[in-house]
Structure formats: structure tokens, C-alpha cells
Amino acid sequence: MANFPANVTIREVGLRDGLQSIATILPTEQKLEWLRRAHAAGVREIEVGSFVPAKLLPQLADTAELLACAKTLPGLFASVLVPNLRGAKRAIDGAADLMIVPLSASHAHSLANLRKTPDDVVAEVARIRAARDAAGSRTLIEGGVGTAFGCTLQGKVERAEVLRLMQASLDAGADRVSLADTVGFADPRAVRELFEQAVRIAGDRFWCGHFHDTRGMALANVYAALEAGVNRFDASLAGIGGCPHAPGASGNASTEDLAYMLDSMGAGTGIDLPALLELRSDIARWLDGEALHGALWKAGLPRTFEQTRVANAA
Amino acid sequence: MANFPANVTIREVGLRDGLQSIATILPTEQKLEWLRRAHAAGVREIEVGSFVPAKLLPQLADTAELLACAKTLPGLFASVLVPNLRGAKRAIDGAADLMIVPLSASHAHSLANLRKTPDDVVAEVARIRAARDAAGSRTLIEGGVGTAFGCTLQGKVERAEVLRLMQASLDAGADRVSLADTVGFADPRAVRELFEQAVRIAGDRFWCGHFHDTRGMALANVYAALEAGVNRFDASLAGIGGCPHAPGASGNASTEDLAYMLDSMGAGTGIDLPALLELRSDIARWLDGEALHGALWKAGLPRTFEQTRVANAA
């Protein structure tokens, strides 16, 4: 366990990946509370939304407002998802710290979800890079390679194709790359094998692992990725999330369960768990009727709980 | 991942650890169906019950009958739990393949659960070994060291004490030893560290890992134990189980989720997953109203599912 990271960053993606895949549309005021309280609990990276047409995802129509608020929170690194150059321009205008360009390694999923081939998306990454540089912007570009372990539509996704597209994203100008198990096909052995290769290729530019808990393996997959030296993971409070083009896919890794596991392992996350659980409880109230996930909220923290480190918490 | 085992055995413990901790008392006929159909689906180790006074655990009063049935199923290795010499004699009489003597590394939990200190239990292991040998029986003795990662009553449990009690059980005549996270305190890093030491001490006599999913980490803990070279795990269909003296403790690792993870990883379990899921669905009907667990039954098997190996299945 030589590579095992001492500190791990959790990127909260509930405000984007979570809210885009459920029916409830939260009022902006509640989203801002989610954002502010996650930050107050020590979360230091948050994906605040997605710059897609409001017609397509009305749930995320207030992304610019969330981004503006995020920029006022000290030490917060604010990400947004951008499917194309048009979205990227809005991220650059809003001075997002990072914009994630999603790319699906499954051609079938890519066509269904983005109406582009994976290589078309790589070409868009190059255009986004050119626009970013021309604007003199400091917004980082993340190439997020999804369906990296398999796909409900296509079935098998070849590891060589995943790594080729990751490399192609870097070559096209992405500053960071990530791998996502968009539809819950990963297992910890596959994660360790793929992530070790990915880290070897991308080095410090490998940014984040994104796992869904579709078949209960999200935390096992995170642990396997930690062993490969990865130290940043996407997760969503109450485990909400999914993908409209991935039938059967259910929630993201739940932020509170992941933070608790990392804390138990002695990996500092900077997150204040009792504060996070309070926020989770309010989110569950706001999202009454939606399918929520996670185990910690039911069991609670052990009576003997002592946190490893709560450096970030305000 | 040099140690990574190619084949892994799942010991189904729902008929004991599962049923002892819920209110529903299943009729013997349904338990026999559970036993037979788990065997037919390829499960080759089953803990069929517990030889405790029927007054204490009326749910398990028919253990002798289940053991007799188990003995008729080809290739099935039948275990029973025995808290003391009296129970051990019944296991020997019934020709169980293995009897598990539970021992709690937490002194507080040991007193609450067994009304004995851990070292009193070690002394009982010696008496059980003497009785077994005197009877010329071939029933193996497993010293199962519980609360190996912490305890709700006592809090911290020292690793040195866990390993001392494991060694003491072997010295007293146990043929096998196991480690159990009885109350859901383990995390994958702690599992890997403890299990590596345990395997170094016990070698081939290290038998089984037992994890609860209290805070969502059961599968991550199994993966960490696999990396330490352990190749046998307790689990319970629908994830039922717990411990009456461990407030807040919830279900065991769910058999179906564990079998699916192992299959995904290419580790042969011999279990026919569709048949197991059908049984799980009937158990859920029998246990209507009880808190059940697990993720696979909700998501289902992927459309692309192909099993690694179904060697055992009848």
C-alpha cells in the first residue's frame, strides 16, 4: 500500500449529477443552501451544475447563479459540466475553476447521450482549449471519460479504447482527465487494473474517479482506486444521481458514506461528518419521495467516533 | 495482487446469523427449502443453525433437523454455531462438518453476549477439543474471533488482543480460526492490515472473514481481505443478520451482492447467480416486513451478464 494517499478530496456532484437525474426541481435557494453548507462542512470541491440549454435540463437552469455564489466561498474549487463549446464559453465567462467535458468510451452511449462519437468530443475538447486560451481564462479543462467499465447499451467497453480516449483528450488540450463508471459496471479488480494504467499514462493530470453504487460496489471501487494512488472522488449527498441514458443505473457513491470510510481509514478529507449528516438530513427532506441511498445515515456515527482531521471546516 | 485468490467460497450464514436476529420465526419447511435451494444454486458451505437452548433462540430450535438435511446434500460442508461444550456435543452427535465457537475480542461484548471472558471461551475451546477427540469425531473446530475491529459497548479493541486470542484459540485446539467485524467497525485499510497479520500467524488454518454492512463497507472489506489472501467469506441472503448485543449493527454482507462482485472480478464461486436471486426473492416474501438489504436485487444482473464459472451448480 505504498501509494496509499494520506489526504483525499471528495468532489460533491449532487448539485449536478444528482439533481439532473431526478424529477424534483429544487428551488435555487435550497441549492444555494446545499452549496454553502457543504462548503461550511469542509467540502472544497463542488460541481455546481451544467451549462446545457435550460430546455434540456430545467433542473440545472440556475447553474450560473450557483457558480457565482461558489466563487464567493473561500477556498472552494468550483466545477461545472460543459457538453460543448457553447457551454464552455459560459463556464469561462463565469470563471469556473474547472469545466468537465464528458466523453463516453462506449460509442453507443456517446451517440445516445451526447449525439456525438467519442472522437467528435475529443475534437470539441480541442476547440474548447483554443477558446479558453484565446480568452486568457484560467478555467481548467477536465476530460471525463465515462462508461469506462461497460455500458448498458453497448455491453463491453475495451480498456484499450478507454485509455486511447483518455490520451486523446490530453493531446487535445485537456488539463485533467478522469474515469467514470457511469452505469455501475466496475468491480474493484477492474478498477485497480484500469486506474493503475491510467495513472501511469496521465500522472498528476489524472484527476478523479467517479463511481456509481448500482450493484453495491462504489466504496469497494473507491478503495481499489486509492490503492492505485488516486486521491479524488466524485460523490453525491444521499447518493442521488444516475444517467437518463443508462437504464438501471442508480445513485452515485454517497458523499457521507465515502467521507466516513475515508475518515475511518485515516485519510484526511477535511470534512466535518456530523455537519455533513445534518445537511444530508435536510436534503432528504427537500427531496421527499425521491429514491435516496447510503448506509451511514441509518446506522449513524459510532458512539466512539473521533474524526481524523477536520482541517477545512469553517 | 499476487495473493489474489482464483476461487472464493461463500459460506451462507442467513439460516443462523440472519434468522437469529430478526423477529420472524420461519417454519422448518421454509428453512429446508432455503438450505436445499442454496445448495442447488451452488453454495457449498452453509451455517445451518446454532446449538443453543431453544428457550434462548426459539428461531433456531430446529437446528438438528437442518443439520440432518444438510448431511444428505452432496458436497455440502455444514457448519453450526456452538457457544459451549453442551452445544458442541450436539454438533458432534449430528456429525457437523464444522462447529464455530464464537469468541469476542471485546471483553465488554463477551460478557454481554456470552457471559464469559474471552479467555474463558478459550478454555471452553480446549474442553470442546478434548470431547471431540475423545468421541473420535471428525467435526472441525473453528475459533471465530468477533468484534475484531471495535465494539459498540467497549469502543476500541486492540489489534494485539485480537491476534492473541486467535493464537490462543489455535493453541487450545481449534482447527480453524476466523475474524468477524460483528458490529460494523471495520474499514478496508484496517481489514487489510489485520488480515495480513492473521494469515501470517494462522496460515492455512485461517478460514473465513465475516463482515457486516452497517456503514456500507462490507464489500470493500471483502476486497481488502481478498488482497490479504483470504478466500472464504460469510454472507447472508438478503443481507439479514446482526447481533442482539450490538445496538445499531445491521445486516451481514449480502450473499447475492458478494457473489456478483466476486463473479465480476473473475473469482470463481461456483454459484449460479440467477438461481440465487430467485431464492432471494422468495426469502424476501417469507420475511415480509423485516428489514432486508443488498443492491443487486434492485438493479438486477446487467443485460450483458455472463457468469465466470458455475462449476458447483447442480
Side-chain angles (χ1 to χ4, degrees):
Chain A
M1 294 195 277
N3 281 332
F4 201 81
N7 293 292
V8 178
T9 300
I10 297 178
R11 175 164 67 185
E12 167 65 21
V13 301
L15 289 164
R16 198 279 303 169
D17 195 1
L19 293 181
Q20 84 167 49
S21 43
I22 62 179
T24 306
I25 299 191
L26 280 192
T28 304
E29 206 36 68
Q30 282 178 344
K31 291 194 200 179
L32 291 171
E33 183 176 343
W34 181 329
L35 178 65
R36 287 194 197 101
R37 285 175 59 189
H39 172 263
V43 179
R44 283 298 174 269
E45 289 202 26
I46 301 183
E47 189 184 26
V48 298
S50 186
F51 281 126
V52 287
K55 222 169 28 180
L56 287 182
L57 285 176
Q59 303 97 312
L60 306 182
D62 50 7
T63 293
E65 202 169 334
L66 270 104
L67 179 56
C69 172
K71 296 292 297 174
T72 68
L73 299 172
L76 183 65
F77 190 86
S79 308
V80 285
L81 189 134
V82 301
N84 50 32
L85 180 61
R86 186 188 301 254
K89 286 181 174 162
R90 295 178 66 193
I92 290 166
D93 288 348
D97 294 300
L98 180 140
M99 50 189 164
I100 301 151
V101 187
L103 180 159
S104 193
S106 152
H107 289 235
H109 184 266
S110 186
L111 291 171
N113 202 32
L114 304 162
R115 282 171 295 178
K116 288 176 189 163
T117 68
D119 289 288
D120 287 341
V121 180
V122 170
E124 192 78 355
V125 167
R127 286 187 283 273
I128 289 171
R129 173 63 185 252
R132 192 273 308 266
D133 291 350
S137 154
R138 298 175 63 184
T139 300
L140 292 171
I141 301 163
E142 172 180 332
V145 181
T147 60
F149 295 89
C151 161
T152 319
L153 303 173
Q154 170 178 318
K156 202 168 166 53
V157 174
E158 294 298 335
R159 191 186 301 169
E161 178 65 355
V162 173
L163 294 171
R164 179 187 76 78
L165 289 165
M166 199 186 80
Q167 181 66 63
S169 302
L170 289 168
D171 294 343
D175 305 289
R176 304 277 185 269
V177 283
S178 295
L179 292 176
D181 178 32
T182 316
V183 285
F185 274 69
D187 68 72
R189 187 175 203 168
V191 168
R192 175 129 183 208
E193 289 169 3
L194 177 61
F195 276 52
E196 278 179 348
Q197 286 187 273
V199 168
R200 215 172 291 133
I201 291 169
D204 287 348
R205 294 180 295 172
F206 192 90
W207 193 243
C208 195
H210 178 109
F211 298 109
H212 282 238
D213 201 36
T214 317
R215 292 177 181 89
M217 281 186 254
L219 294 184
N221 292 336
V222 165
Y223 176 71
L226 284 167
E227 290 194 313
V230 172
N231 67 354
R232 181 175 279 99
F233 297 96
D234 284 347
S236 134
L237 275 157
I240 57 169
C243 170
H245 292 279
S250 76
N252 284 279
S254 100
T255 304
E256 60 277 16
D257 287 10
L258 175 55
Y260 177 73
M261 180 176 88
L262 292 166
D263 193 85
S264 301
M265 292 168 71
T269 63
I271 291 175
D272 176 342
L273 274 163
L276 198 73
L277 282 172
E278 268 181 55
L279 173 55
R280 196 263 183 216
S281 151
D282 284 329
I283 290 171
R285 198 162 40 75
W286 301 339
L287 298 179
D288 188 35
E290 298 286 354
L292 306 181
H293 309 279
L296 184 64
W297 73 274
K298 274 182 274 188
L301 294 165
R303 264 197 319 170
T304 51
F305 174 72
E306 292 166 45
Q307 266 193 271
T308 300
R309 211 194 60 161
V310 188
N312 294 346
Chain B
M1 295 195 276
N3 281 331
F4 201 82
N7 293 291
V8 178
T9 300
I10 296 178
R11 176 164 67 185
E12 167 65 23
V13 302
L15 289 164
R16 197 279 302 169
D17 195 1
L19 293 181
Q20 83 167 47
S21 43
I22 61 179
T24 306
I25 299 192
L26 279 193
T28 304
E29 206 37 67
Q30 281 178 345
K31 291 195 200 179
L32 291 171
E33 184 176 343
W34 181 328
L35 178 64
R36 287 195 198 99
R37 284 175 58 189
H39 172 263
V43 179
R44 282 298 174 269
E45 290 202 26
I46 300 183
E47 189 183 27
V48 298
S50 184
F51 282 126
V52 287
K55 222 168 30 180
L56 287 181
L57 284 177
Q59 303 97 310
L60 306 183
D62 50 7
T63 293
E65 203 169 332
L66 270 104
L67 178 56
C69 172
K71 296 292 297 175
T72 68
L73 299 172
L76 182 65
F77 190 87
S79 308
V80 286
L81 189 135
V82 301
N84 51 32
L85 180 60
R86 187 189 298 256
K89 285 180 174 162
R90 296 178 65 194
I92 291 166
D93 288 347
D97 294 301
L98 180 141
M99 51 189 164
I100 301 152
V101 187
L103 180 158
S104 193
S106 151
H107 288 235
H109 184 266
S110 187
L111 291 171
N113 201 33
L114 304 162
R115 281 170 296 178
K116 288 177 189 164
T117 68
D119 288 289
D120 288 341
V121 180
V122 170
E124 193 78 355
V125 168
R127 285 187 284 271
I128 290 171
R129 172 63 184 254
R132 192 272 309 265
D133 291 350
S137 154
R138 297 175 64 184
T139 300
L140 293 171
I141 301 163
E142 172 180 332
V145 181
T147 60
F149 294 89
C151 161
T152 319
L153 303 172
Q154 170 178 317
K156 202 166 166 55
V157 174
E158 294 298 334
R159 191 186 299 170
E161 178 65 355
V162 173
L163 295 171
R164 179 187 76 78
L165 288 165
M166 199 186 79
Q167 181 67 63
S169 301
L170 290 168
D171 294 343
D175 304 290
R176 302 278 184 269
V177 282
S178 295
L179 293 176
D181 178 30
T182 315
V183 285
F185 274 70
D187 68 71
R189 186 176 203 168
V191 168
R192 175 127 185 210
E193 288 169 3
L194 178 61
F195 276 52
E196 277 179 349
Q197 286 188 273
V199 169
R200 217 171 289 135
I201 290 169
D204 286 348
R205 295 180 295 171
F206 192 90
W207 194 243
C208 196
H210 178 108
F211 298 109
H212 283 238
D213 201 35
T214 316
R215 293 178 180 87
M217 281 184 256
L219 294 184
N221 292 336
V222 165
Y223 176 70
L226 284 167
E227 289 195 313
V230 172
N231 66 355
R232 181 175 277 100
F233 298 95
D234 285 347
S236 136
L237 276 157
I240 58 170
C243 170
H245 292 279
S250 77
N252 284 280
S254 102
T255 304
E256 61 277 17
D257 287 9
L258 176 55
Y260 177 74
M261 179 176 88
L262 292 166
D263 194 86
S264 301
M265 293 168 69
T269 63
I271 292 176
D272 176 343
L273 274 163
L276 198 72
L277 283 171
E278 269 181 55
L279 174 55
R280 196 265 184 213
S281 150
D282 285 330
I283 290 171
R285 198 163 39 76
W286 301 339
L287 298 179
D288 187 35
E290 299 286 354
L292 307 181
H293 309 278
L296 184 64
W297 73 275
K298 274 181 276 186
L301 294 166
R303 264 197 320 171
T304 51
F305 175 71
E306 292 166 45
Q307 267 194 269
T308 300
R309 211 195 60 163
V310 188
N312 295 344

